[in-house]
Amino acid sequence: MEKEKVITTKQLTKQFGDFTAVNGISFEVHKGEIFGFLGANGAGKTTAIKMLCGLLAPTSGEAAVAGFDVYKQAEKIKKNIGYMSQKFSLYDDLTVRENMRLFAGIYGMDRKTIKQRTEEKLKQLELEPQADDLVNSLPLGWKQKLAFSIAIFHDPKIVFLDEPTGGVDPLARKQFWEMIYTAAHNGITIFVTTHYMDEAEYCDRVTIMVDGEIKALDTPGNLKETYEAESIDEVFYKLARTATRKAD
Amino acid sequence: MNAVSVEHITKTYLQKEQKKEKKVTALDDVSFTVDKGELFGIIGPDGAGKTSLFRILTTVLLADSGKASVEGLDVVKDYRKIRDRVGYMPGKFSLYQDLTVEENLNFFATIFNTTVKKNYELIKDIYVQLEPFKKRRAGALSGGMKQKLALCCALIHKPSILFLDEPTTGVDPVSRRDFWDMIKKLKEQDIAILVSTAYMDEANMCEKIALIQKGNILTVSSPEKITSEFDQPLLAVRSDDMYQLLYDLRANKAVKEAYPFGAYYHVIPEDANKTKELEAYLQQKGQKDLEVKPIKANIEDSFIALMKKND
Amino acid sequence: MKRLLSFVIKEFHHIFRDRRTMLILLGMPIVQIILFGFAVTNEVNNASIAIWDQSKDEATTQIIQRISSSKYFDIEQSLHSKEGIEGAFKKGKVKMVIVFPQRFRESLLHEHNAEVQLIADASDLNTASTLTNYASSIIMRYQADILDADIPYQVKTNIKMLYNPNLESAYNFVPGVMGLILMLISAMMTSVSIVREKEMGTMEVLLVSPVKAYMVIISKVIPYLVLSLVNIISIILLSVYALGVPVTGNLVLLIGESILFIITSLSLGITISTVTKSQQAAMLISMMGLMLPTILLSGFIFPIENMPVVLQVISNIVPAKWYIDIVRMVMIKGLGFGAVMKDTIILTGITMLFIIISLLRFKTRLE
């Protein structure tokens, strides 16, 4: 069965002057897939994601995200993706409920849907008693879960997660990944960028970028087999060590 | 004499929250010791109290109660003497962003009354990697390079004990690995090293670790010992429908716990000898490509188990 | 000593590498002086004046000749009565009226004393003060010329400023700008630079080192002291050569008092840094807590005597008030140390207070 493709890129390239940040990357991401995007600092990860999110026009190549062209339909792409980073996702000085409403409002959802879905999400997260507390007062693990549910509040086709579980306790982390699995099961494609390799082990497929190029793309299991490594960390180390480009 | 000794240290903060002040316990009756020349890891999530602990030991923060000493010196009374001999690398790489690599290093050498030349041997291995960029401002370095420079600056006065607060946070995997290699080399110089991290997989790099959560030390031991003390059977399970698998596992009464772990679920069954039954149950549920194998616990499993026990 | 030196060098690096700050630091005094200078002392040429000569003798004719031949004045009309003066001003053309009393020459010769009245339209303050200055100097020169004849004649110019009796001299701005600039650079920059170390986490490393707190403070203070001195000198040079505001009093005294005020401001800056945690907060406190009082309550722009009593009392704790007063006395009025002793003592007191507060508040630990 041919799976629906949510992201396709062909020879996607971005140059800044003489410097080729992303050099002809081609890959496909399927609907409901958890796709890990790994790379050291300066490998071109951020540039690639900016292009996929419609924030940066590619120099050459093709890319379609959620069925929209990155050159011409950037605004439509933005409407169909969600984004969550470890650093910035929520307003600390707003309450849980206010944060939900704010982000839903940004995506132009109507009031009735927002209201209904807010209650739904609060229930799912078991955050009803804390609904009117400032986000600031929540433990980190809850904040991250909340941030994720807000990132998928508007039912995006794809959600981009930037180092989603850094710094949380292992239990909260497991719960977080359960949420991600559920979202993926419900058809949301998960695009995870991280440089913590044990996070990569949770992904369905993983790509490793080195010097602006994709050096490996496979399931974590196959990658470990191919590179005769015990962990993705080791696979990454073997590949990234060959990098000639330094983030410096 | 221990390199570090901590006895019943408690520290609380007042946190303002929606107009009312709330008391937050950063450290709750914490005790442990670090031997001379030991590589000691303090492992726990953000907000567990790692930074407070480091600040108390480096004498920049006072505990509410309890006693702590560094190389036999009291952190309150003898704080001046401690400051002469410890190396400290705080959570954010505390460098002067507008000074060059060289200038940073020279500056930190002079404030410790020494010169880069005198102790160059100690930092040589690390500094050679920085040498090509020595005229570059610290602010323009990558995360990994900043981390190396910060380590050089903390080492330049040849401290007898080194405190590294989350040195690998925000650093890419290659630099992270290089970093641990450097730390291991330093250990050969007989420097006691305390390092904190939120990343469980770094626990195995240390000789001894303290797992810390919500201001409480869960356990102190070698990583091997901690994982070997995991007293329950553990299985790794996977199939082609991972989403459904978790529900099926949790629906089974013989399963005490199941949680995602990389490409598998880690499952704690009620009875280690009934693996076959579990497998049969899952197959009957329609799980294909099923894989069930007994495994050894790792630090993360132990941490979760200890967390639950502690609650 | 070596440690302190490397500390100070590091501070200079911070300052010199931040080009924008550098530009503000060194450019601001120049811009302010020029700005105020141009607003205040544009040269006046060919101003229309009127003369009411009640004496019409040899002396008045000579003076009038000198005035009319100068490039500054155009004698628009001759007046013949007191009422004519009012009328001349009301028509709006005449900027100044010179009145010679009756029997001018006789008074000058026999009583060795004569009086000329200069009446200026001080609604245009700058022009008025410039014109009276020009006229006075012409009359003085005439006086000096006849003095050569060894007779102690004296012509007194009696200046009367119409419409603005509390004449605010252009000279006021120079002391004001000096006070403002020094306060800003010394207090704000020091507090921001100390707090920056707290924000960046470098303070934590410094604390966990054998460095003593006073060393950190002294090393922060020295560069800004030097920069402030550079500014003082550039302000004085500008005011003397560009604005023509001379240093009438003792230059050494002026610089000495300036150093005292710089130290006051530095101690104030350190005090601010001990109570704030972020650069933003330090900046805000410096702006609101120092800049505004310095501009509004120091007598720089608004005369203190005209303020409500409450503000007059408050103005006493504004260090810049005392400094501006000192500069006025020394630089403009040319008075000696005796005249500024009281202000100096008060300023020293304020400085001591801040140094004590900041030493008490500066901690060897975090929090």
Side-chain angles (χ1 to χ4, degrees), chain B residues 9 58 73 75 104 113 124 144 149 165 225 283 300 302:
Chain B
I9 285 283
T58 50
L73 297 162
V75 290
N104 264 294
N113 262 335
K124 200 178 129 198
L149 176 57
D165 193 10
K225 191 137 181 275
Q283 262 157 359
E300 221 169 321
S302 300

Side-chain angles (χ1 to χ4, degrees), chain A residues 1 9 20 27 44 96 120 123 155 169 172 174 180 189 221 236:
Chain A
M1 186 184 77
T9 72
T20 309
F27 62 90
V96 173
E120 227 175 83
K123 210 169 190 176
D155 275 333
D169 69 70
K174 306 295 172 199
I180 291 180
T189 305
F236 185 86

Side-chain angles (χ1 to χ4, degrees), chain C residues 235-248:
Chain C
I235 293 175
I236 293 177
L237 286 176
L238 271 173
S239 70
V240 172
Y241 293 104
L243 301 187
V245 180
V247 180
T248 351

Side-chain angles (χ1 to χ4, degrees), chain B residues 11 13 55 58-62 75-76 79-80 83-84 86 88 90 92-100 103 107-108 110-113 115 137, chain C residues 2-3 6-7 10-11 13-15 17-19 196-213 220 364-367:
Chain B
K11 174 77 193 171
Y13 292 98
R55 286 181 171 165
T58 50
T59 78
V60 288
L61 198 65
L62 291 175
V75 290
V76 181
Y79 75 96
R80 288 244 166 258
R83 287 179 187 189
D84 275 333
V86 302
Y88 177 37
K92 327 174 241 190
F93 305 131
S94 303
L95 301 162
Y96 292 101
Q97 310 285 329
D98 51 351
L99 297 190
T100 64
E103 286 163 351
F107 174 72
F108 284 106
T110 32
I111 65 169
F112 280 97
N113 262 335
T115 58
R137 294 193 189 170
Chain C
K2 206 187 146 208
R3 256 200 261 182
S6 80
F7 242 119
K10 165 198 149 252
E11 290 305 325
H13 277 318
H14 288 322
I15 297 169
R17 291 198 179 156
D18 187 355
R19 292 230 176 89
R196 185 173 54 198
E197 300 234 7
K198 286 197 207 173
E199 246 181 27
M200 295 300 296
T202 40
M203 190 56 95
E204 214 173 323
V205 181
L206 293 185
L207 284 176
V208 188
S209 79
V211 174
K212 304 267 191 319
K220 286 279 174 195
T364 48
R365 294 191 164 87
L366 293 171
E367 285 189 328

Side-chain angles (χ1 to χ4, degrees), chain B residues 284-295:
Chain B
Q284 178 233 318
K285 281 280 177 186
Q287 292 291 344
K288 292 187 190 86
D289 293 333
L290 194 64
E291 186 184 345
V292 179
K293 56 181 184 188
I295 50 158

Side-chain angles (χ1 to χ4, degrees), chain A residues 39-220:
Chain A
N41 293 330
K45 222 171 27 171
T46 314
T47 309
I49 290 155
K50 277 188 181 160
M51 287 192 282
L52 295 179
C53 291
L55 298 175
L56 200 63
T59 311
S60 65
E62 288 169 36
V65 176
F68 301 108
D69 183 70
V70 290
Y71 290 96
K72 294 175 212 138
Q73 295 168 300
E75 287 315 308
K76 285 198 172 137
I77 291 176
K78 285 179 200 167
K79 272 206 158 163
N80 283 285
I81 60 173
Y83 180 78
M84 171 196 162
S85 94
Q86 199 195 343
K87 286 157 217 136
F88 168 77
S89 278
L90 302 170
Y91 289 97
D92 263 358
D93 50 354
L94 295 183
T95 67
V96 173
R97 209 190 289 269
E98 284 163 351
N99 263 295
M100 286 190 168
R101 280 195 195 146
L102 171 73
F103 284 100
I106 288 173
Y107 283 98
M109 294 170 71
D110 66 83
R111 225 184 267 174
K112 216 172 133 198
T113 325
I114 293 177
K115 210 168 175 188
Q116 194 190 337
R117 191 161 303 179
T118 304
E119 297 316 312
E120 227 175 83
K121 291 270 181 191
L122 285 172
K123 210 169 190 176
Q124 267 175 27
L125 291 165
E126 295 170 22
L127 266 176
E128 281 165 307
Q130 283 84 16
D132 294 309
D133 287 357
L134 294 187
V135 164
N136 202 6
S137 67
L138 296 179
L140 183 67
W142 286 24
K143 269 190 215 172
Q144 285 184 338
K145 280 190 255 176
L146 178 62
F148 180 69
S149 65
I150 285 174
I152 59 170
F153 201 93
H154 59 292
D155 275 333
K157 293 214 170 76
I158 306 154
V159 59
F160 290 87
L161 308 178
D162 188 13
E163 275 173 41
T165 66
V168 297
D169 69 70
L171 202 58
R173 195 170 178 211
K174 306 295 172 199
Q175 290 164 355
F176 188 83
W177 276 103
E178 275 180 41
M179 276 182 82
I180 291 180
Y181 286 168
T182 309
H185 178 77
N186 292 336
I188 297 177
T189 305
I190 317 280
F191 196 100
V192 185
T193 64
T194 179
H195 48 224
Y196 285 95
M197 295 305 136
D198 55 342
E199 255 177 352
E201 310 251 4
Y202 290 81
C203 300
D204 293 330
R205 279 193 309 153
V206 166
T207 97
I208 296 175
M209 265 188 94
V210 179
D211 288 350
E213 287 168 25
I214 289 180
K215 278 279 148 71
L217 171 58
D218 212 331
T219 64

